[in-house]
Amino acid sequence: MDAEQKKELEHIIQSYRDTNLDTINYWWEYSSFDSWRFWLTFILLAVPLLVLYFKIDRNRVYQIGFYGFAIHMLGVYVDTIGTNYGFWSYPYKMIPVLPTSFTLTSSMIPVAFMLMYQWQSRKRINYYLCAAGVSAIFVFIIHPIFMWLDMFQMYRGFNYLIMYVNYFGGSIMAKLVLDAFVYLNKKNDTIRIRKIK
């Protein structure tokens, strides 16, 4: 690494540090423990996880959990990209060092999709119709409520239609990932059975 490249990299790292310090200072000023929005985000984080604890099918906990983890990770990636590029922001967050909404990406969204997946697979209802419905609830009901509460803001032409594509596209990708791992697991079980015989 030459001196100019090293200097440019150090400038970028310092910019990250400055931005993180500004974000933490903003959080302490407007979004910390003395704000009702902090406690609302805490409740919106805790309640879905409690519901999941009591409602998840214990016989399929690994499969449903893996699906939820896939939804969570895809949500974190999309949310991080969107906030880093300034398409949306969360003025009030529970954890200031994360660019994403910890409440949405770690609890509300994964839990809603996990319970939907559990329900639709048990009832044998089309997954994509159910995923489209859950996506619509988040995009056209929950996010507008968050905007009304000033807990979510959109910028630079980002809109609900693009958001819907993100949600529904993420649910399709999570299902494909899950299906691939279920297929590999079944294939592995078949090979193991043949070896035992």
Side-chain angles (χ1 to χ4, degrees):
M1 182 181 302
D2 62 23
E4 185 178 335
Q5 183 181 359
K6 187 174 181 180
K7 185 178 177 183
E8 185 67 29
L9 183 59
E10 286 173 359
H11 173 73
I12 291 168
I13 291 168
Q14 187 59 47
S15 296
Y16 284 145
R17 287 185 186 134
D18 293 342
T19 300
N20 284 334
L21 287 174
D22 289 344
T23 302
I24 291 168
N25 290 334
Y26 174 90
W27 183 84
W28 276 111
E29 183 72 26
Y30 301 105
S31 187
S32 65
F33 310 110
D34 59 351
S35 164
W36 65 269
R37 287 181 179 96
F38 172 86
W39 294 107
L40 177 60
T41 58
F42 177 79
I43 290 166
L44 292 173
L45 173 76
V47 169
L49 294 174
L50 284 171
V51 169
L52 181 66
Y53 178 79
F54 290 108
K55 293 292 185 182
I56 195 166
D57 181 350
R58 300 284 197 264
N59 295 321
R60 300 175 55 210
V61 71
Y62 290 112
Q63 183 179 5
I64 295 165
F66 184 84
Y67 170 77
F69 186 70
I71 289 282
H72 162 70
M73 290 309 300
L74 290 166
V76 167
Y77 294 146
V78 169
D79 215 11
T80 300
I81 292 167
T83 53
N84 284 346
Y85 279 94
F87 290 114
W88 61 82
S89 71
Y90 302 96
Y92 304 95
K93 296 188 287 189
M94 212 172 92
I95 300 174
V97 295
L98 298 177
T100 64
S101 169
F102 193 67
T103 300
L104 282 169
T105 58
S106 297
S107 180
M108 291 178 71
I109 295 168
V111 168
F113 276 94
M114 288 166 77
L115 293 176
M116 176 276 299
Y117 174 73
Q118 176 177 296
W119 177 79
Q120 71 76 213
S121 59
R122 188 181 297 152
K123 300 286 185 183
R124 303 206 184 277
I125 299 172
N126 185 283
Y127 170 83
Y128 300 103
L129 289 176
C130 293
V134 173
S135 298
I137 290 168
F138 272 99
V139 172
F140 301 114
I141 297 173
I142 294 174
H143 275 285
I145 292 171
F146 271 51
M147 285 191 73
W148 179 69
L149 294 171
D150 288 330
M151 295 174 63
F152 177 74
Q153 301 294 323
M154 292 189 288
Y155 312 100
R156 301 177 62 195
F158 191 78
N159 59 52
Y160 290 119
L161 181 60
I162 299 169
M163 186 186 300
Y164 183 80
V165 170
N166 285 338
Y167 270 89
F168 188 55
S171 69
I172 291 170
M173 288 179 67
K175 180 74 164 62
L176 291 173
V177 169
L178 174 66
D179 289 348
F181 277 86
V182 167
Y183 171 78
L184 290 173
N185 187 52
K186 283 181 181 176
K187 190 173 181 182
N188 188 38
D189 286 346
T190 305
I191 292 168
R192 197 177 304 141
I193 290 167
R194 283 181 191 159
K195 285 181 180 177
I196 291 171
K197 289 180 181 179

